[in-house]
Amino acid sequence: MTPTKILSRTLCAGLVLGAIVIFGAGHRAAAQPARPPNIVIILADDLGYGDLGAFGAPNIRTPRLDAMAAQGQKWTNFYVQPVCSPSRAALLTGRLPVRSGMFATPGKRAPGVFRDNAAQGLPLEEVTIAELLKSAGYATGMIGKWHLGQLPQFLPMRQGFDSWFGLPFSHDMRMTVPADKGYKSDVYYNPKPEYWDVPLMRNDTVIERPVDHRTLTKRYTEEATKFIDANKSHPFFLYFAHSMPHIPLARSSAYVDHSSAGMYGDVVEEIDWSAGQVLDALRAAGVDGQTLVLFTSDNGPWQAFDTHGGSAGPLREGKGTTWEGGVRTPAIFWWPGTVRPGTVTDIGSELDLIATAAALSGARLPADRVIDGVDLSAPLRGSGPSPRDTNFYYADSELRAVRKGKYKAHFITMGAYDLGEARTVHTPPLLFDLQADPGERFNIAATHPDVVADLIKTADAHRRTVVPVKALFDDLLPAPKP
């Protein structure tokens, strides 16, 4: 571990009781011993804002997540990054990807994530939530998709995790058959595991290749429940990053034709089952009242895949864009006896998770770098509003929009994956009132020049805090052979 990663191992006095977990059915938690809370983060992949019942899905059944939202907090203005790798880096470090090199040079290459032949990874000098909590005596485990560097020196075991079971990158990489029709290729809609040469790993060892992606949600869930039971006697951090509903869609035999919403609905309904299994495991271990759980998604739905992609509900566009549908995702916080139930309309972000974890555990945030996250403890307890009132929308290293309060200014707009609008610079910027117009349909810049001026000033001040760093997604090894 590098010197910059060595954090204080002294817990603050008066630690918060409980743990963080997101999802589950209602119950009244029994009184449990005082100790730092467990923290569980469950991250779906490419799940849209409108894909859960609690967020308006008309034909996908998600009873466990809906119950979790009813008994916990449903956040309706929770933000992530537009695509996979930058989003995961932001979640784990609390830093905008532009600060850590988690981007490609704009216009140089797509899709702005680490490829399966990436020569770089999340820099080792970055401090992750796992390292932060490990310094406070937590057991740390990761299950699922990593996507922050595929070489051995960048895998989860080098970033603070005691154990890992999952994939080093997306399960649609290292394709072994041609996708000659691009997004319309049949291989995506009738997938077989052998179409992708993707390894399943336990710690540093490949245990299956190619992975049978039809079994991933079930096997991930079994690993999560085992981790909870094995670590119930002391504080733990579990980062559970699903591979689904990212394409190619896949589900276990029990969920084939389970949903009226087709294969995509099947996949989401199995993720809902998984959430229930994790919650049940926390109860069985007697630590449900000591655990805070968050359920969210890494970005919006991949709409290029039609019915195999999700829905952004009332929001505009999806994955790969800085319109709301690309970066505003469903978020549910649940912690019986501590999180005050209700719907939260304040602004929150995945960037805020590390600062919140530090506050709850007594660990100290690193003081030698900019941390973009804020502590969400007050709104979670119902004792005050979110301290976040701004959100900066990046695509690669390009600041495309900024939100402050209810207003959002777009400086640059662009569709996703060459399927939408061309890149357009707006002078003056577009302006939307997201409270009245979450679908970003009505540009009100002409009638609110004072708001536009203030948002331009806010963006300029933010840019001055950003120190240029190398674009790490640009560096590739020779393409691997299947």
Side-chain angles (χ1 to χ4, degrees), residues 224-293:
T225 59
K226 290 177 184 176
F227 177 86
I228 290 167
D229 185 64
N231 292 283
K232 60 188 176 184
S233 63
H234 49 258
F236 61 80
F237 169 56
L238 173 61
Y239 173 42
F240 182 177
H242 282 284
S243 291
M244 307 290 168
H246 190 293
I247 57 88
L249 297 179
R251 67 287 199 222
S252 66
S253 58
Y255 279 83
V256 173
D257 297 328
H258 192 270
S259 172
S260 64
M263 188 182 291
Y264 187 88
D266 291 349
V267 170
V268 175
E269 290 182 11
E270 187 168 25
I271 290 172
D272 179 74
W273 163 83
S274 173
Q277 291 295 298
V278 172
L279 185 66
D280 291 346
L282 291 165
R283 287 175 170 168
V287 297
D288 47 319
Q290 294 175 317
T291 306
L292 169 64
V293 182

Side-chain angles (χ1 to χ4, degrees), residues 437-482:
D437 178 26
E440 299 173 283
R441 296 176 298 164
F442 308 111
N443 178 19
I444 58 174
T447 56
H448 292 76
D450 55 332
V451 176
V452 171
D454 181 59
L455 288 171
I456 291 173
K457 182 179 178 181
T458 298
D460 288 343
H462 166 72
R463 289 188 185 98
R464 290 193 291 271
T465 74
V466 177
V467 177
V469 296
K470 178 181 172 60
L472 296 179
F473 295 168
D474 291 349
D475 289 354
L476 301 177
L477 299 171
K481 295 181 180 180

